């Protein structure tokens, strides 16, 4: 059983983070990227061609993370592979002991730098969750057996900040019923929409079914803020927030303060089961933010316990 | 076989102008508010992706209103099948493309899924 699964099963608060994309540099680059945040994070997402840009594959990066002694969450998107390829990567992940899987539909190819690619979407996000569960029960989608079955902790994503706002919890519930046990939320710069999602998730019982993990992005520059506001599908940044960074004397400090405010707000929402961090800083931004928020390092949380959200 | 092909053509002639039918051969219109999910550029059968724009338009085709926004709205107005939109629909059976969904509905072929689909907790 993965450490993440153990913690989620015990109802403990979890911290996940995104490993920056890997192109060149091999294992030493992965170790270099992990170093500043390793102490605070329970598991690291190995992303799957984020924003439809090709990078080292999530399976390869997940295996390298295991070798580096940290726990991966292997993201798997439906955009680039048909069901056979998805099943092959999942069974391959199981073979290497990669247990945490995060299933997503994926940005469209038009969001990336090779928009002329064929989009696949042979499965959608909820179907991929269901197929992953099928594999973990010891057979392929066809019914052909796998002995012994790979062990998976299945997760999914949801975007509280994209329409239809009133149906996002219903869609997340579909994912929970398909087999998801944690839900990493898309970065959300509209706190009122995260609040709404969490309110509805509590009312429907969704927050009892799976661990809801909002994402917090630590940006660094005005350019980065503008990129997120205009180029990343599904992220709605209020013009006032962009202006705040543009007009700041020190954009990096202001970006950090913004992340801090959004993270504090997310932690205040009853039912939040953890936080997911994405940092574009070159230094230990995640460690600094955790310290500021009062989230202890992983080992300390494991020894002394930590409860961010009293109502969880 | 010839009759089946004629039926497929007749069905498409009716459905294409009204719903933008893509002839997937496993029609789920009734459970998606009479909005065809195959007209979603990602052909998603289980709800909208996370890329829907703040104005409710499509990530891929900004001029198109999200198919799933329409599906949710319309399903609320249907006297029947309203809750079906929340059902987990199986992956598309690509061997049925171009065949008559009416015929597949009558024979039950459209409800056949791979043996491993819909696996529940053991």
């Amino acid at each position: 059983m993965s450490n993440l699964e153990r913690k989620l099963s015990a109802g403990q608060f979890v911290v996940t983070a995104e490993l920056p994309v890997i192109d060149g540099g091999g294992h030493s680059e992965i170790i270099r990227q992990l170093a500043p945040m390793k102490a605070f994070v329970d598991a690291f997402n190995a992303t799957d061609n984020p924003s439809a840009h090709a990078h080292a594959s999530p399976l390869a990066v997940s295996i390298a993370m295991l070798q580096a002694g940290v726990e991966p969450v292997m993201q798997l998107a439906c955009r680039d592979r048909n069901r056979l390829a998805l099943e092959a990567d999942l069974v391959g992940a199981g073979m290497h002991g990669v247990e945490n899987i995060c299933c997503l539909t994926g940005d469209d190819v038009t969001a990336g730098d090779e928009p002329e690619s064929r989009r696949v979407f042979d499965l959608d996000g909820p179907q991929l969750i269901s197929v992953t569960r099928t594999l973990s029960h010891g057979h392929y989608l066809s019914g052909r057996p796998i002995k012994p079955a790979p062990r998976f902790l299945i997760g999914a994503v949801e975007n509280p900040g994209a329409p239809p706002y009133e149906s996002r919890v219903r869609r997340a519930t579909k994912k929970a019923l398909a087999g998801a046990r944690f839900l990493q939320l898309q970065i959300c710069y509209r706190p009122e929409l995260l609040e709404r999602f969490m309110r509805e998730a509590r009312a429907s019982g969704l927050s009892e079914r799976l661990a809801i993990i909002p994402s917090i992005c630590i940006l660094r520059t005005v350019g980065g803020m503008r990129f997120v506001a205009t180029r990343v599908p599904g992220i709605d940044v209020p013009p006032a927030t962009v202006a705040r960074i543009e007009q700041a004397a020190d954009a990096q400090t202001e970006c950090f303060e913004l992340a801090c405010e959004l993270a504090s707000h997310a932690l205040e929402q009853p039912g939040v089961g953890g936080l997911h961090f994405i940092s574009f800083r070159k230094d230990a931004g995640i460690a600094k933010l955790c310290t500021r928020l009062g989230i202890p390092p992983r080992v300390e949380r494991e020894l002394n316990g930590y409860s961010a959200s009293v109502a969880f | 076989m010839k009759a089946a092909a004629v039926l497929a053509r007749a069905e498409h002639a009716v459905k294409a102008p009204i719903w933008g039918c893509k002839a997937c051969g496993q029609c789920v219109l009734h459970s998606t508010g009479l909005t065809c999910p195959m007209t979603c550029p990602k052909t998603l059968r289980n709800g909208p992706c996370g890329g829907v724009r703040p104005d409710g338009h499509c990530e891929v085709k900004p001029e198109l209103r999200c198919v799933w926004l329409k599906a949710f709205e319309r399903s609320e107005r249907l006297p029947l099948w309203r809750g079906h939109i929340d059902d987990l629909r199986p992956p598309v059976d690509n061997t049925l493309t171009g065949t008559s969904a009416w015929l597949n509905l009558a024979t039950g072929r459209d409800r056949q899924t791979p043996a491993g689909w819909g696996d529940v907790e053991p």
Side-chain angles (χ1 to χ4, degrees):
Chain A
M1 187 190 289
S2 73
N3 194 26
L4 189 63
E5 182 172 2
R6 199 171 296 121
K7 287 189 175 176
L8 293 181
S9 301
Q12 291 172 16
F13 185 85
V14 296
V15 177
T16 58
E18 201 159 294
L19 183 78
V21 292
I22 302 296
D23 299 303
H27 285 229
S28 53
E29 175 62 10
I30 292 178
I31 290 165
R32 193 182 71 77
Q33 294 282 6
L34 288 169
M37 46 186 174
K38 209 169 149 180
F40 284 87
V41 177
D42 294 303
F44 291 90
N45 280 33
T47 53
D48 188 3
N49 291 352
S51 300
H53 289 66
H55 298 283
S57 79
L59 178 55
V61 172
S62 294
I63 294 167
M65 279 204 252
L66 284 178
Q67 289 167 349
V70 302
E71 198 167 290
V73 176
M74 185 175 90
Q75 280 190 355
L76 216 43
C78 298
R79 176 194 54 237
D80 307 325
R81 301 173 188 80
N82 70 2
R83 64 194 81 177
L84 291 172
L86 289 165
E87 289 179 274
D89 275 357
L90 283 162
V91 174
M95 187 179 97
H96 284 278
V98 176
E99 294 186 9
N100 309 321
I101 308 292
C102 185
C103 303
L104 41 140
T105 301
D107 299 326
D108 188 63
V109 294
T110 47
D113 57 356
E114 298 178 41
E116 60 282 355
S117 306
R118 178 192 289 257
R119 62 178 68 85
V120 181
F121 300 111
D122 185 32
L123 301 181
D124 60 28
Q127 291 165 349
L128 177 58
I129 294 164
S130 181
V131 168
T132 308
R133 179 168 66 178
T134 294
L135 295 172
S136 74
H137 289 173
H139 41 92
Y140 289 92
L141 183 56
S142 66
R144 182 160 45 86
I146 310 165
K147 284 181 186 164
R151 185 181 186 102
F152 293 131
L153 169 71
I154 307 168
V157 295
E158 192 50 73
N159 188 353
Y165 309 118
E166 64 284 357
S167 306
R168 287 290 164 189
V169 167
R170 278 167 77 181
R171 177 156 158 82
T173 303
K174 188 184 269 200
K175 292 175 179 180
L177 292 171
R181 293 184 51 201
F182 66 91
L183 195 67
Q184 291 177 322
L185 302 183
Q186 175 62 288
I187 305 159
C188 184
Y189 283 96
R190 292 183 55 189
E192 74 280 9
L193 292 178
L194 176 65
E195 255 176 70
R196 176 183 185 162
F197 183 87
M198 290 308 304
R199 194 170 53 240
E200 291 173 7
R202 289 193 301 274
S204 71
L206 179 69
S207 58
E208 301 286 321
R209 279 180 181 275
L210 42 62
I212 302 178
I213 306 172
S215 292
I216 303 297
C217 182
I218 314 174
L219 292 163
R220 193 165 57 91
T221 61
V222 174
M225 179 84 256
R226 287 186 186 140
F227 181 85
V228 169
T230 57
R231 301 283 301 280
V232 183
I235 301 186
D236 179 14
V237 189
T241 307
V242 181
R244 174 180 161 183
I245 305 300
E246 283 172 339
Q247 288 156 15
D250 177 1
Q252 178 157 320
T253 305
E254 201 59 29
C255 283
F256 186 79
E257 290 304 316
L258 175 64
C260 206
E261 287 164 25
L262 292 170
S264 303
H265 173 266
L267 286 175
E268 284 165 13
Q269 306 307 309
V272 161
L275 285 183
H276 178 70
F277 295 105
I278 302 149
S279 176
F280 290 93
R281 284 170 67 117
K282 296 196 186 302
D283 63 357
I286 290 173
K288 276 185 190 165
L289 185 52
C290 285
T291 307
R292 177 90 171 263
L293 294 167
I295 300 172
R298 180 169 54 84
V299 175
E300 207 176 301
R301 274 185 280 127
E302 285 167 5
L303 285 173
N304 306 328
Y306 169 74
S307 170
S309 181
V310 280
F312 185 59
Chain B
M1 281 312 284
K2 211 170 179 186
V6 171
L7 186 60
R9 209 168 295 169
E11 182 181 339
H12 191 67
V14 174
K15 283 179 169 178
I18 306 175
W19 292 293
C21 173
K22 305 288 181 200
C24 71
Q26 50 223 288
C27 194
V28 291
L29 272 174
H30 69 282
S31 62
T32 54
L34 300 180
T35 309
C36 175
M38 302 310 278
T39 60
C40 160
K42 297 183 183 177
T43 62
L44 304 181
R45 309 263 290 189
N46 284 294
C49 72
V52 184
R53 293 166 193 263
D55 63 359
H57 281 231
C58 173
E59 169 197 337
V60 185
K61 294 183 180 170
E63 69 281 7
L64 185 78
R65 185 142 188 276
C66 171
V67 168
W68 278 97
L69 254 72
K70 288 192 267 186
F72 275 117
E73 288 165 8
R74 290 172 180 171
S75 78
E76 289 299 317
R77 294 202 294 265
L78 285 183
L80 288 170
W81 311 305
R82 205 174 291 165
H84 288 213
I85 199 158
D86 292 324
D87 294 346
L88 178 63
R89 277 168 286 279
V92 169
D93 181 342
N94 289 287
T95 64
L96 294 182
T97 307
T99 63
S100 166
W102 290 338
L103 187 62
N104 296 332
L105 175 70
T107 61
R109 176 65 185 84
D110 65 345
R111 293 182 295 288
Q112 276 177 30
T113 52
W117 174 252
D119 192 16
V120 290
E121 288 297 326

